[in-house]
Amino acid sequence: MRRRRLNLIIGIIVIIVAGCSIGIMLSLLISDNGRNGDIHITPSPADVAYDDKPEISPAVTPEPTITPTPTPEPTPTPSALASVEVKGLYLTANTAGNPSRLQHFIDLANRTEINAFVIDVKDDHGKVCYETQVPLAVKHGAWEKKYDVKEVIRKLHENNIKVIGRVVCFNDPYMPLKEPSLSLKNTNGEVFTAPVGNSRLAWLDPTNEKAWQYIIDIAKEAVSYGFDEIQFDYIRFPETTNYKYDMSYFQKEKSEYIDNFIKTAIEQMPNVTLSADIFGSICLQTKDVGGIGQTLETISERIHYISPMIYPSHFANNSNHYTGNGVGTKINGILFEKPDLEPYKVIYNTLIITKKRLEEAGIDVKVRPYLQGFTASYMPQGYYINYGVEQYKAQIKAVYDAGFSEWIFWNSGNNYVEDAFLPEQ
């Protein structure tokens, strides 16, 4: 009898232990699914653009509901690197996520004047480039882990390199299709889209405060991870010269909506340096020619930095090619028929006009231009030159001669002419 009772007790203990083990295993499995780690699969940009079909859940047991962690608030004090005079390069998220490539650029910064990198936070495909906790991005899978954000920033800060987070704002081929209420619309009420290459353009609505908050939440999270500055790109409406969309409900000037977005971002991130990329042509145009909601004066009123993209190849030449207008571009009273051939003069004269206009408007904004780090070989023969050491240095000299001290080079493949940069002092 005693042995039978002992066997019964042992049996009960075994059942309890087994039950606990199964519970722990299930808990771990659920936790792994909730983290959306390396198994997370995202569609290509082309898939996203044409994905207008409802999502069909697979015939499996549904995953548990995920409650996203609230977006962390920015640190209350400015970064120690916030005041660095930037001599920077743009790096893609893929470069940041490639340890050997990242180390190459760290080594470059350690031996030259380069002291800052601009890295994608939210990219041109509408995706946050690391594992995000922003609720709306989590809800729709609007992220892709291209780099370990904490590790990348740690490495760069250890080497005294300033890290600027590029946030592509309203141009977004992903989220408007997932959240139509946040998108610009066609006149028939459907989400505004337009074909661009193998993909399609879509646009978060710059008049919509919920769309503002989505972008600001991403920026705030980036700051919490240690980014020293947030650089807003595509902080504008689509060009009305190229695209048609519903504007019937607008109650303000487009520039007022953009200004209110900037004001809201500053209020929510009071100690964070904010910059904005703008077309180089905006420095020359006194009116909102493209209907994008920007003039030099309106975009500069509150933002801390502007980064006009003064790529000589992007100014119209006198050819009949799509890069030309048959005449050329007049800058500061000088007609440039082949702007790409004269990088110093184009940069210098554009910045002189920029400086004059800002001074006349009484606007105290810092100017940090984007410079051309690529050869525009897509242009007709005779209208472009190879951008090597001489052309890089000419652009940098033009910045200094115009009275400015900061610059960033852009090359989409991150293939920079490194011999152009001065040795570290």
Side-chain angles (χ1 to χ4, degrees):
M1 178 68 69
R2 184 178 298 170
R3 179 177 298 176
R4 186 177 301 169
R5 185 179 301 165
L6 181 60
N7 289 341
L8 179 61
I9 292 171
I10 292 172
I12 292 171
I13 292 173
V14 169
I15 291 171
I16 292 172
V17 171
C20 290
S21 299
I22 292 171
I24 292 171
M25 290 174 65
L26 287 173
S27 174
L28 289 173
L29 180 60
I30 291 171
S31 177
D32 283 343
N33 284 339
R35 277 197 295 265
N36 281 337
D38 293 337
I39 62 170
H40 189 275
I41 299 173
T42 56
S44 68
D47 292 335
V48 170
Y50 290 100
D51 183 13
D52 56 0
K53 299 185 293 294
E55 295 181 357
I56 301 173
S57 301
V60 296
T61 303
E63 292 186 6
T65 301
I66 301 170
T67 302
T69 303
T71 304
E73 292 294 321
T75 51
T77 55
S79 162
L81 292 167
S83 60
V84 167
E85 288 195 341
V86 166
K87 313 299 194 275
L89 304 176
Y90 164 72
L91 301 185
T92 65
N94 287 333
T95 292
N98 183 318
S100 61
R101 285 281 282 163
L102 182 63
Q103 188 60 50
H104 170 84
F105 284 105
I106 290 173
D107 294 341
L108 176 67
N110 284 335
R111 71 173 188 270
T112 71
E113 62 187 320
I114 297 299
N115 61 13
F117 296 129
V118 178
I119 300 175
D120 286 332
V121 168
K122 176 177 180 280
D123 65 17
D124 300 86
H125 305 313
K127 298 295 186 72
V128 179
C129 298
Y130 47 77
E131 190 169 2
T132 182
Q133 296 174 349
V134 173
L136 194 59
V138 172
K139 176 182 177 182
H140 294 297
W143 65 275
E144 183 176 352
K145 189 173 181 181
K146 294 186 176 181
Y147 60 91
D148 183 329
V149 60
K150 293 181 180 179
E151 180 66 9
V152 167
I153 291 176
R154 182 190 67 78
K155 285 183 178 180
L156 295 177
H157 281 174
E158 280 182 355
N159 288 273
N160 295 316
I161 298 169
K162 182 172 181 174
V163 194
I164 302 171
R166 175 177 177 253
V167 176
V168 176
C169 294
F170 299 107
N171 180 10
D172 187 326
Y174 190 86
M175 189 57 71
L177 302 178
K178 301 295 183 180
E179 290 281 343
S181 64
L182 302 184
S183 75
L184 284 179
K185 305 291 195 307
N186 293 322
T187 53
N188 63 5
E190 295 179 352
V191 173
F192 160 74
T193 60
V196 178
N198 295 324
S199 185
R200 280 191 183 180
L201 181 81
W203 216 271
L204 290 169
D205 185 353
T207 75
N208 189 313
E209 294 186 13
K210 290 183 179 179
W212 298 357
Q213 194 60 54
Y214 173 57
I215 296 165
I216 292 170
D217 284 347
I218 291 171
K220 288 163 67 177
E221 181 184 60
V223 171
S224 76
Y225 283 131
F227 280 92
D228 304 300
E229 176 180 327
I230 296 299
Q231 184 179 96
F232 290 131
D233 202 356
Y234 289 91
I235 183 173
R236 60 180 180 83
F237 290 78
E239 301 94 321
T240 53
T241 48
N242 296 330
Y243 307 108
K244 304 300 179 185
Y245 49 91
D246 183 22
M247 298 184 287
S248 62
Y249 61 95
F250 291 7
Q251 297 180 348
K252 303 175 183 178
E253 294 292 329
K254 288 180 177 179
S255 59
E256 292 183 68
Y257 288 115
I258 299 301
D259 182 57
N260 286 337
F261 165 73
I262 294 171
K263 179 183 177 183
T264 303
I266 291 173
E267 288 173 350
Q268 294 192 31
M269 297 181 285
N271 294 316
V272 179
T273 301
L274 301 179
S275 56
D277 299 344
I278 63 174
F279 290 136
S281 59
I282 288 176
C283 299
L284 309 179
Q285 299 163 347
T286 56
K287 298 180 180 179
D288 183 7
V289 176
I292 64 174
Q294 287 183 9
T295 66
L296 179 63
E297 289 79 8
T298 59
I299 192 66
S300 303
E301 188 174 355
R302 298 181 194 275
I303 204 83
H304 304 126
Y305 275 88
I306 56 169
S307 288
M309 298 173 280
I310 314 178
Y311 311 138
S313 62
H314 282 32
F315 290 93
N317 55 59
N318 69 348
S319 74
N320 294 319
H321 188 255
Y322 71 85
T323 59
N325 60 5
V327 179
T329 301
K330 184 172 285 189
I331 306 174
N332 200 22
I334 303 170
L335 179 62
F336 292 92
E337 296 182 342
K338 300 178 179 180
D340 194 62
L341 307 189
E342 302 185 75
Y344 174 86
K345 291 182 179 180
V346 168
I347 302 294
Y348 174 78
N349 283 284
T350 301
L351 288 176
I352 288 295
I353 291 292
T354 303
K355 187 176 184 180
K356 181 181 179 182
R357 286 178 60 181
L358 292 172
E359 287 176 350
E360 290 177 348
I363 295 174
D364 185 22
V365 66
K366 294 183 179 180
V367 179
R368 183 199 293 147
Y370 262 107
L371 305 178
Q372 182 170 322
F374 57 89
T375 296
S377 55
Y378 53 85
M379 297 171 69
Q381 286 292 328
Y383 282 89
Y384 73 92
I385 55 176
N386 180 64
Y387 268 57
V389 171
E390 180 182 344
Q391 288 71 31
Y392 271 54
K393 288 186 173 182
Q395 293 180 89
I396 294 172
K397 185 176 187 302
V399 173
Y400 298 155
D401 288 353
F404 300 104
S405 59
E406 301 186 53
W407 43 264
I408 307 168
F409 273 91
W410 175 278
N411 181 294
S412 60
N414 301 163
N415 299 311
Y416 296 100
V417 181
E418 298 174 3
D419 290 341
F421 307 127
L422 296 176
E424 187 173 41
Q425 299 297 319

